[in-house]
Amino acid sequence: AWRGIYSHKNVLSQMTTLSSLVFLFLSMIIRRYRYVVWGGLFLSIVLLLLTTSKTALVVLITLVCLLQFYRALRWRNPKSVLILILITFIIASVVIVLIGNAELIVTSLGKDITLSGRTDLWHGVLDQIQKRPWLGYGRDGFWNIESNMHKIVGSYVAFNYEAPHSHNGFLDLTADLGIVGLTLFLLSFGFAFYKAFHQA
């Protein structure tokens, strides 16, 4: 698996997912030198595939589908209602299939039902959060080397993984800043989303 200049292939996959979206958006607004933009998009996707990160690939496909859904919301004709109903039906069907066949789908992607130990890791993080639920362990206090949490939480994973983080942004935020910090973040994110939606 390729990792490029980064310490881990997952970091490269995150960067290539972001760059793929940037080039995709640029292809919609730039008329001149479009071959450069499409070339950048192609290289980004190739690099993403070379990282062998299944999660990043699923995220990119999902975001592209959501982009099409958003564009359909902006249509101003009666057909858009039928298309939205069809898209909603398809999404609901896919979600039902994914939930009903979660283990089969996960194993077919080369993972196990614990998502390579992530769910066990989350359980360990939640146990530690319960000890300081409201204000957390402080900014960068939870995964700090001195806190020894990477070993304590890592012991929850079958292969005794010394985790650098929980692979879950919401859990990491709650561990650092507690329920108060998570609530403030969700409120600010919801407000920003509301403003962006009405200005789009």
Side-chain angles (χ1 to χ4, degrees):
W2 283 35
R3 58 187 177 92
I5 62 173
Y6 301 100
S7 59
H8 196 276
K9 70 183 184 74
N10 286 344
V11 183
L12 177 60
S13 68
Q14 292 169 11
M15 296 298 104
T16 51
T17 300
L18 180 60
S19 66
S20 297
L21 289 173
V22 170
F23 283 119
L24 181 61
F25 288 136
L26 286 175
S27 69
M28 298 177 182
I29 60 176
I30 293 180
R31 300 302 176 194
R32 298 180 61 186
Y33 309 112
R34 295 193 70 179
Y35 61 91
V36 176
V37 176
W38 285 108
L41 177 60
F42 175 77
L43 289 175
S44 296
I45 294 174
V46 169
L47 277 175
L48 174 59
L49 295 174
L50 289 173
T51 64
T52 68
S53 174
K54 309 295 190 307
T55 303
L57 185 60
V58 171
V59 167
L60 178 61
I61 293 172
T62 302
L63 290 174
V64 171
C65 293
L66 288 175
L67 174 63
Q68 298 305 316
F69 184 73
Y70 168 74
R71 294 179 71 182
L73 285 174
R74 295 173 61 87
W75 293 342
R76 297 288 187 269
N77 59 64
K79 290 182 180 179
S80 63
V81 177
L82 294 175
I83 294 175
L84 284 175
I85 293 173
L86 179 62
I87 292 174
T88 304
F89 176 76
I90 292 173
I91 292 175
S93 300
V94 170
V95 169
I96 291 171
V97 170
L98 290 176
I99 294 174
N101 301 275
E103 186 170 358
L104 176 62
I105 293 170
V106 170
T107 52
S108 67
L109 291 174
K111 306 289 184 180
D112 54 51
I113 198 62
T114 66
L115 301 177
S116 300
R118 283 179 173 85
T119 56
D120 295 332
L121 190 65
W122 297 339
H123 180 67
V125 174
L126 285 170
D127 280 352
Q128 300 305 316
I129 287 175
Q130 290 176 11
K131 297 178 180 179
R132 297 186 183 181
W134 295 107
L135 297 177
Y137 291 78
R139 181 74 177 112
D140 289 330
F142 188 83
W143 292 109
N144 191 299
I145 296 177
E146 295 178 0
S147 72
N148 214 31
M149 284 298 177
H150 60 289
K151 292 184 178 179
I152 296 172
V153 175
S155 65
Y156 282 74
V157 182
F159 45 88
N160 202 27
Y161 171 55
E162 292 189 10
H165 49 76
S166 66
H167 298 277
N168 185 309
F170 293 108
L171 282 181
D172 283 340
L173 180 61
T174 308
D176 281 351
L177 303 179
I179 295 174
V180 173
L182 177 64
T183 302
L184 290 174
F185 166 77
L186 292 176
L187 287 173
S188 63
F189 182 83
F191 180 70
F193 182 83
Y194 175 81
K195 288 186 65 176
F197 185 80
H198 281 275
Q199 291 181 12

